[in-house]
Amino acid sequence: MISLEEIKEMSLVSASKIVMLVIDGLGGLPDAAGQTELEIARTPYLDELAEKSVCGLVDPVSPGITPGSGPGHLALFGYDPLKFTIGRGVLEALGIGFELTKNDVAARGNFCTTDNNGLIMDRRAGRITTEKCTELSKLLSQIKLPGIEVFVWPVKEHRFMLALRGDALSPEINDTDPQRLGVAPNVAMAERPKAKDTARIVNIFIDAATKILSNHHPANMILLRGFSKLPEIPKMGEIYKLTPAAIAVYPMYKGLAKLLGMKIFSVEGDVREEFRILASCFEKHDFFYVHVKRADSAGEDGDFSRKVKVIEEVDSALPQLLSLKPDVIVITGDHSTPAMLKMHSWHPVPVMLYSHWCRPDHVMQFSESACLSGGLGRLHSADIMPLAMANALKLTKFGA
Amino acid sequence: MISLEEIKEMSLVSASKIVMLVIDGLGGLPDAAGQTELEIARTPYLDELAEKSVCGLVDPVSPGITPGSGPGHLALFGYDPLKFTIGRGVLEALGIGFELTKNDVAARGNFCTTDNNGLIMDRRAGRITTEKCTELSKLLSQIKLPGIEVFVWPVKEHRFMLALRGDALSPEINDTDPQRLGVAPNVAMAERPKAKDTARIVNIFIDAATKILSNHHPANMILLRGFSKLPEIPKMGEIYKLTPAAIAVYPMYKGLAKLLGMKIFSVEGDVREEFRILASCFEKHDFFYVHVKRADSAGEDGDFSRKVKVIEEVDSALPQLLSLKPDVIVITGDHSTPAMLKMHSWHPVPVMLYSHWCRPDHVMQFSESACLSGGLGRLHSADIMPLAMANALKLTKFGA
């Protein structure tokens, strides 16, 4: 695969505009009747665009590998997900606008419920309200640790972010969340010798939190996972010479986009609202990442028909996007989330790339099976970004 | 490509079972009538399974590269054949149950016939009987070398294994087998300075063997090739957390499987017998490698119709395999051996993967041309194992 350094050498600034529409968890599996969510959905606009586009299937990481949201998105933005990794704690911090420094170790936290014996009964504390989460996070923020600054920020419902700021902290400690019920939370332990001190500090924090929360049933305990530090990732502006914008609802995706140097446009609303915001900032940027989360949520819930509906909503809103006449339109997903499986999966994801300069194929429908015979063939997701740049005539040639 | 270390992080133990049926040399080339061995063969069961499977074509090493049996198989088990290499001598030793140590250098030996001038007349000594080979191997075992233990074990017909055990032996010496007639065997020479002493020892052994064999025409000389040491390869149990079993007839494949930590089930018989043994050990393991050698042998002999017949035998025995209801079935080859070419070739190999969770494609027949439009597209053989693991729900996701 070509390196980001090589892409950087070839990229150039131009007036052309690229829109990348990411329908989270887009790829699916056939139901009993033999068709996937995308195949059953009535998608006249997507199909019409597919006819003018070049289509294919992408593997976000590598065949057989089920990606998390982080690797799935990094790949879409052209970053080799095997080379660049972002911890969940860091993603959570970025998503709520917490300014991480290089001295910070961040973790994703859950308020949870434990019984009298300290065994986990509910990993999400009955999904307490965000208000309650905010109140409890404030209480935990007051925990004092020697030589360490403590930040506890609420995220949503039972979720919060913990950041510890101090010299020589290491993120190489295990999750305290065992991800199952009926057992006690794990003790934080160092995965490398240099993380011993951090593990000790985390355990002091957990003990203090346990005391504070003892009167706050069902949120009477915390679980931490994804301890991580800010990774060093080159910005999209630097690599591609783009001024990228991100339009997304959910914190994690905004956080990831911010890490890559995108300007964040927060949205409260559906895809029509996202496209309205796209229109409003269309003049000022040349790359737009538009994220549609609800297809993935429906897939994870095993709700086949809701996923179909989300895809149909995207389709019906598509004219808003098309009316802006972007030079390049990429429509794909960060991974598959088949409703039949109720989880992220390894199945390759349909992709279409429209531009005046694409070489169209015979694909007449945007679907898993139709994309199989598309002109892009089967690619790594990280190949999409160079293709989008090329179709926007933003890449010079490689070598003399 | 994803690394074995990363796969190891993601793999988990579950009750699901994977069967990998390797039809050696499966891929072919069309005869004058325009169809390959696999296309002409009447294969109703394979075709029916292909209809429910996801199909594709795999390159064992890389496009255009013709693999030996070692690399072809390593790739199927998920080991990058460009990174992991196994010498032929080591494979031979493993195949006959010889317990190699880290101090051993092993070579594959042939008894051969030379004329009065020492020129090779028959590289296989008229394929002497295994009994004769055993007798002569015993004689050669008695050769004494200073500071070196000598092991000469018969393999089959004219073939034997030589292992030299001693400190500081190096395998980096050339083959003494020139692989053609009318010339003298090569002298063993070091390919690296550190192998000089080993080359000298090997030449002493050859001189002694020549004297011993002078009265044993047609087996009056030896040829050695594939000098090698035991490579360090992580076991399949360690990487995939599987308890793998190998069902095979020929020594080399059993040797390779043993090196990867598989439990070996030796078979004397045809594919029906192999499937009977599969059934008998099906409860105790969760991964099964079943090797069908005779398709490759027929291909190497240029016997198109015999290769067709072997494939049809596999097909007619398939219900035995299907009745076990494995969660994942992979059917492919380690490489192509077109009867038209009479040798291993670089042509990609058809593959089908059946599971409840595969995304079926429109392939209705198991053949080279049908697999071209399969949902797997064109992959590296080393991608098959992660796909099999994923379909068996034995891999967690990569990243958050």
Side-chain angles (χ1 to χ4, degrees):
Chain A
M1 201 168 78
I2 195 129
S3 71
L4 292 180
E5 292 69 34
E6 286 158 327
I7 294 284
K8 184 176 169 181
E9 288 293 313
M10 290 183 277
S11 66
L12 45 83
V13 177
S14 80
S16 59
K17 291 174 190 289
I18 302 169
V19 174
M20 181 182 281
L21 174 60
V22 178
I23 304 173
D24 203 307
L26 177 63
L29 279 174
D31 65 358
Q35 287 194 295
T36 67
E37 299 90 320
L38 181 58
E39 285 162 6
I40 281 183
R42 213 188 140 264
T43 54
Y45 293 113
L46 286 168
D47 295 344
E48 193 186 333
L49 190 63
E51 209 174 318
K52 294 187 272 183
S53 299
V54 62
C55 296
L57 288 167
V58 285
D59 288 292
V61 179
S62 161
I65 304 305
T66 297
S69 301
H73 272 84
L74 280 175
L76 288 178
F77 301 132
Y79 297 78
D80 179 355
L82 292 169
K83 190 175 164 194
F84 296 98
T85 54
I86 305 179
R88 191 167 272 273
V90 168
L91 277 177
E92 204 77 318
L94 293 165
I96 53 174
F98 181 82
E99 296 280 346
L100 282 173
T101 75
K102 290 188 174 181
N103 287 331
D104 298 359
V105 164
R108 174 170 172 174
N110 272 18
F111 288 103
C112 71
T113 312
T114 53
D115 66 13
N116 292 338
N117 300 315
L119 306 183
I120 302 166
M121 296 172 65
D122 183 342
R123 286 180 55 248
R124 298 179 182 87
R127 290 192 189 269
I128 52 169
T129 62
T130 304
E131 289 69 33
K132 184 72 183 171
C133 180
T134 305
E135 174 201 330
L136 296 176
S137 296
K138 269 186 196 150
L139 289 176
L140 299 193
S141 294
Q142 290 159 18
I143 292 172
K144 300 294 173 206
L145 297 172
I148 305 288
E149 277 187 88
V150 175
F151 302 89
V152 182
W153 282 33
V155 176
K156 201 172 183 179
E157 297 173 345
H158 56 285
R159 281 163 50 198
F160 66 87
M161 177 224 60
L162 168 68
L164 301 174
R165 182 169 296 164
D167 295 339
L169 290 177
S170 165
E172 294 176 279
I173 55 183
N174 62 282
D175 295 349
T176 73
D177 184 351
Q179 303 221 31
R180 59 205 174 95
L181 303 180
V183 295
N186 299 323
V187 169
M189 295 207 286
E191 289 170 345
R192 302 280 165 93
K194 65 173 177 176
K196 277 190 181 173
D197 207 48
T198 310
R200 192 180 54 78
I201 289 164
V202 167
N203 288 322
I204 295 173
F205 176 83
I206 293 172
D207 287 346
T210 311
K211 279 182 196 130
I212 290 171
L213 296 174
S214 60
N215 297 325
H216 291 276
H217 193 279
N220 65 350
M221 183 52 179
I222 59 169
L223 299 171
L224 300 171
R225 56 179 167 140
F227 289 94
S228 42
K229 290 193 104 167
L230 211 53
E232 285 183 23
I233 297 189
K235 302 276 189 277
M236 286 181 81
E238 190 187 316
I239 301 299
Y240 302 113
K241 304 188 182 76
L242 294 167
T243 53
I247 297 162
V249 176
Y250 279 66
M252 203 177 75
Y253 308 93
K254 292 188 275 188
L256 179 69
K258 190 171 178 184
L259 184 65
L260 303 180
M262 294 193 221
K263 164 108 174 157
I264 309 301
F265 292 88
S266 291
V267 184
E268 298 279 336
D270 62 5
V271 65
R272 291 188 178 277
E273 182 58 23
E274 291 190 287
F275 286 159
R276 268 193 289 275
I277 289 175
L278 172 67
S280 73
C281 66
F282 198 68
E283 276 311 304
K284 287 209 172 165
H285 294 270
D286 53 13
F287 178 88
F288 305 86
Y289 154 54
V290 182
H291 181 249
V292 178
K293 173 69 180 171
R294 290 183 307 119
D296 175 61
S297 313
E300 292 222 318
D301 290 346
D303 194 334
F304 195 97
S305 60
R306 198 171 96 228
K307 190 171 163 194
V308 170
K309 203 158 158 256
V310 173
I311 293 169
E312 289 178 344
E313 279 170 22
V314 172
D315 185 80
S316 72
L318 206 65
Q320 287 177 252
L321 164 59
L322 300 175
S323 70
L324 299 171
K325 299 193 190 304
D327 300 275
V328 178
I329 302 173
V330 173
I331 305 181
T332 188
D334 53 341
H335 53 74
S336 293
T337 307
M340 308 301 290
L341 254 180
K342 298 189 185 185
M343 61 179 196
H344 289 201
S345 81
W346 61 91
H347 302 90
V349 189
V351 59
M352 71 163 114
L353 186 154
Y354 164 79
S355 92
H356 182 66
W357 302 114
C358 75
R359 186 194 283 159
D361 45 35
H362 298 303
V363 174
M364 308 285 277
Q365 193 198 9
F366 190 48
S367 74
E368 289 85 350
S369 52
C371 284
L372 246 181
S373 55
L376 290 175
R378 183 148 171 185
L379 302 174
H380 281 112
S381 299
D383 291 322
I384 292 176
M385 198 65 203
L387 281 164
M389 290 286 290
N391 276 276
L393 305 183
K394 288 181 192 287
L395 278 187
T396 61
K397 70 183 167 189
F398 177 77
Chain B
M1 200 168 80
I2 196 129
S3 70
L4 292 180
E5 291 70 34
E6 284 156 328
I7 294 284
K8 184 177 169 180
E9 288 292 313
M10 289 183 277
S11 65
L12 45 84
V13 176
S14 79
S16 58
K17 290 174 191 287
I18 302 169
V19 174
M20 182 182 281
L21 174 60
V22 179
I23 303 173
D24 203 308
L26 176 64
L29 279 174
D31 66 356
Q35 286 193 295
T36 68
E37 301 89 320
L38 181 58
E39 284 161 7
I40 282 183
R42 212 187 141 266
T43 53
Y45 294 114
L46 287 168
D47 296 342
E48 193 186 332
L49 191 62
E51 210 175 317
K52 294 187 271 183
S53 299
V54 61
C55 297
L57 288 167
V58 285
D59 289 291
V61 181
S62 158
I65 304 306
T66 297
S69 302
H73 272 85
L74 280 175
L76 288 178
F77 301 131
Y79 297 78
D80 179 354
L82 293 169
K83 187 174 165 196
F84 296 97
T85 55
I86 304 178
R88 191 166 273 274
V90 168
L91 277 178
E92 204 77 317
L94 292 164
I96 54 175
F98 181 81
E99 297 278 345
L100 282 174
T101 74
K102 289 188 175 179
N103 288 330
D104 297 359
V105 164
R108 174 170 172 174
N110 273 19
F111 289 104
C112 70
T113 313
T114 53
D115 66 12
N116 292 337
N117 300 314
L119 306 184
I120 302 165
M121 297 173 64
D122 183 343
R123 287 180 54 249
R124 298 180 182 86
R127 290 191 187 269
I128 53 170
T129 62
T130 304
E131 290 69 33
K132 185 71 184 173
C133 179
T134 305
E135 174 201 332
L136 295 176
S137 296
K138 269 185 196 150
L139 290 176
L140 299 193
S141 295
Q142 290 158 20
I143 293 172
K144 301 293 173 204
L145 297 173
I148 304 289
E149 276 188 88
V150 174
F151 303 89
V152 182
W153 281 34
V155 176
K156 201 173 183 180
E157 298 173 343
H158 56 285
R159 282 163 48 199
F160 66 88
M161 177 224 61
L162 168 67
L164 301 175
R165 183 170 297 166
D167 297 338
L169 290 177
S170 165
E172 295 176 279
I173 55 182
N174 62 282
D175 294 350
T176 74
D177 183 351
Q179 302 221 32
R180 56 203 175 96
L181 304 180
V183 296
N186 299 323
V187 170
M189 294 207 287
E191 291 170 343
R192 302 279 165 95
K194 66 173 177 175
K196 276 189 179 176
D197 206 47
T198 310
R200 192 180 54 77
I201 288 164
V202 167
N203 288 322
I204 294 173
F205 176 83
I206 293 171
D207 287 347
T210 311
K211 280 184 195 130
I212 289 171
L213 296 173
S214 59
N215 297 326
H216 291 275
H217 191 280
N220 64 350
M221 183 52 179
I222 59 169
L223 300 172
L224 300 171
R225 56 178 168 142
F227 289 94
S228 43
K229 291 194 102 166
L230 210 54
E232 284 183 23
I233 298 189
K235 302 275 190 276
M236 287 181 80
E238 191 186 316
I239 301 298
Y240 302 113
K241 303 187 183 79
L242 294 167
T243 54
I247 296 161
V249 176
Y250 279 65
M252 202 177 75
Y253 308 93
K254 292 188 275 189
L256 178 69
K258 190 171 177 185
L259 185 64
L260 303 181
M262 294 192 219
K263 163 109 174 156
I264 308 301
F265 291 88
S266 291
V267 184
E268 299 278 334
D270 61 6
V271 65
R272 290 188 178 279
E273 182 59 23
E274 291 191 287
F275 287 159
R276 267 193 290 274
I277 289 176
L278 173 67
S280 73
C281 66
F282 197 68
E283 276 311 304
K284 287 209 172 166
H285 295 268
D286 52 14
F287 177 88
F288 305 86
Y289 154 54
V290 182
H291 182 249
V292 177
K293 173 68 181 170
R294 291 183 307 118
D296 175 61
S297 314
E300 292 220 319
D301 290 347
D303 194 333
F304 194 98
S305 60
R306 198 172 94 227
K307 191 171 163 194
V308 170
K309 202 158 160 257
V310 173
I311 293 168
E312 289 179 343
E313 279 170 21
V314 172
D315 185 80
S316 72
L318 205 64
Q320 287 176 253
L321 163 58
L322 300 176
S323 71
L324 299 171
K325 301 192 191 302
D327 299 275
V328 178
I329 302 173
V330 173
I331 304 182
T332 188
D334 54 340
H335 53 76
S336 293
T337 306
M340 307 303 288
L341 254 180
K342 299 188 183 184
M343 60 179 198
H344 289 201
S345 79
W346 61 92
H347 303 89
V349 189
V351 58
M352 71 163 114
L353 186 155
Y354 165 80
S355 94
H356 181 67
W357 300 113
C358 74
R359 186 194 281 159
D361 46 36
H362 298 303
V363 174
M364 307 285 278
Q365 192 197 9
F366 190 48
S367 73
E368 289 85 348
S369 52
C371 285
L372 250 181
S373 57
L376 290 175
R378 183 148 171 183
L379 301 174
H380 282 112
S381 299
D383 291 319
I384 292 176
M385 199 64 204
L387 280 164
M389 289 285 292
N391 275 276
L393 305 184
K394 287 181 191 289
L395 279 187
T396 60
K397 72 183 169 189
F398 176 78

